[in-house]
Amino acid sequence: MKNRFQDPKFCVSITAPNTSKLMSDVNSAFKSGAHLAELRLDSLNSFSIDKIQALSDAHKNKLILTFRGKHQGGLSSISEPDRLQILIELLDIKNSIKDIESDTFNKNYSLFKNEKNLIISWHNFKSTPSTNSLERLIKNISSKLTHPKQIIKIATYANSLNDCNKVFNLYSRFEKSKFQLLAFCMGETGSITRILSPVLGAPFIYCFSGNKAVAPGQIKLDTLAEIYSNFV
């Protein structure tokens, strides 16, 4: 079993109303010890591709570009065709990782299949399906992947500790896979999965910096660092 407990990677999720605040928050996150930053571009009032490219050049391969759809917890009210156009434009931004929902990926496979630095995400904001159901979902997604750097992200909502165990069980089932699995639970009960998933092989864990979590159950960056310091 993979064990990265002594070298976890932290990814700070960032929402901001404008590009200036976004750039400031990104710089603050890295100064605070983040290894990666997820930019929730759907939180911005507007942005230019050139400015996001400049930010990606300044933090090469450390930024995850996300423009989440409304059906997956997105913050923008733009139409789905307009959102898809933005996702296509983001593909041209070098030195960055792109995050795309699994349904968007499946419907537009020809557009995204050759993107090496890609996260395909699936969320359930109400519950956690059985491990077998999640396994089938992951196998369906993985059958379309083309590169070992690509990541499948599974985020469910934990209503009990048993839900957390359902997600933990996924790691052993895909330990020898040719893709990276990032699976965890949202919600307060699911916070334990955010802490322990790196032990099981998750490439990184989402957290927040500042005063407000971006997603339910996220843990503050300095709190995570303090927790892990006890095991070094």
Side-chain angles (χ1 to χ4, degrees):
M1 182 178 291
K2 301 173 185 176
N3 191 328
R4 304 179 186 179
F5 201 65
Q6 294 185 6
D7 188 29
K9 294 189 182 302
F10 306 135
C11 176
V12 170
S13 299
I14 298 173
T15 59
N18 54 62
T19 307
S20 295
K21 182 68 165 62
L22 181 71
M23 295 173 71
S24 174
D25 288 351
V26 167
N27 292 329
S28 295
F30 286 121
K31 286 180 181 178
S32 298
H35 302 88
L36 300 163
E38 179 196 31
L39 311 191
R40 286 292 301 273
L41 301 177
D42 51 290
S43 69
L44 296 172
N45 295 326
S46 64
F47 69 90
S48 74
I49 293 296
D50 289 343
K51 287 186 177 181
I52 302 302
Q53 180 64 72
L55 197 55
S56 295
D57 289 341
H59 303 284
K60 290 186 176 180
N61 301 314
K62 293 182 178 181
L63 300 183
I64 299 172
L65 307 181
T66 303
F67 201 109
R68 193 69 71 214
K70 199 74 174 176
H71 66 295
Q72 291 275 306
L75 302 172
S76 174
S77 59
I78 68 170
S79 68
E80 186 61 18
D82 287 344
R83 188 182 77 89
L84 179 60
Q85 184 57 43
I86 289 174
L87 292 176
I88 294 171
E89 291 175 7
L90 292 179
L91 292 176
D92 292 330
I93 296 182
K94 300 176 181 178
N95 305 315
S96 63
I97 304 163
K98 289 80 178 181
D99 182 317
I100 297 172
E101 302 85 353
S102 60
D103 58 342
T104 302
F105 177 72
N106 289 332
K107 291 175 184 176
N108 304 278
Y109 176 66
S110 62
L111 296 175
F112 302 115
K113 65 178 181 179
N114 294 323
E115 177 62 37
K116 294 179 180 179
N117 295 315
L118 186 67
I119 299 173
I120 299 94
S121 296
W122 185 87
H123 301 82
N124 186 322
F125 293 96
K126 294 182 178 180
S127 62
T128 299
S130 68
T131 302
N132 287 340
S133 294
L134 292 172
E135 180 182 13
R136 287 192 294 270
L137 172 69
I138 293 169
K139 285 182 175 179
N140 178 264
I141 297 172
S142 66
S143 66
K144 300 179 176 67
L145 300 186
T146 59
H147 197 276
K149 279 190 175 182
Q150 293 172 330
I151 296 171
I152 296 178
K153 172 189 168 186
I154 302 294
T156 66
Y157 193 90
N159 292 295
S160 67
L161 286 176
N162 185 53
D163 285 340
C164 298
N165 200 41
K166 294 175 188 176
V167 169
F168 285 145
N169 286 334
L170 291 171
Y171 284 96
S172 61
R173 299 191 184 192
F174 292 98
E175 186 175 4
K176 297 181 180 180
S177 60
K178 295 182 179 180
F179 61 90
Q180 300 181 75
L181 178 64
L182 174 55
F184 59 91
C185 292
M186 297 177 284
E188 184 176 351
T189 302
S191 292
I192 186 66
T193 65
R194 295 178 181 273
I195 296 171
L196 295 180
S197 59
V199 182
L200 301 173
F204 57 85
I205 192 63
Y206 292 94
C207 56
F208 74 98
S209 180
N211 299 318
K212 186 177 180 181
V214 173
Q218 276 189 346
I219 301 169
K220 197 168 184 178
L221 172 60
D222 54 4
T223 301
L224 274 177
E226 184 176 354
I227 290 172
Y228 285 121
S229 69
N230 294 303
F231 297 92
V232 175

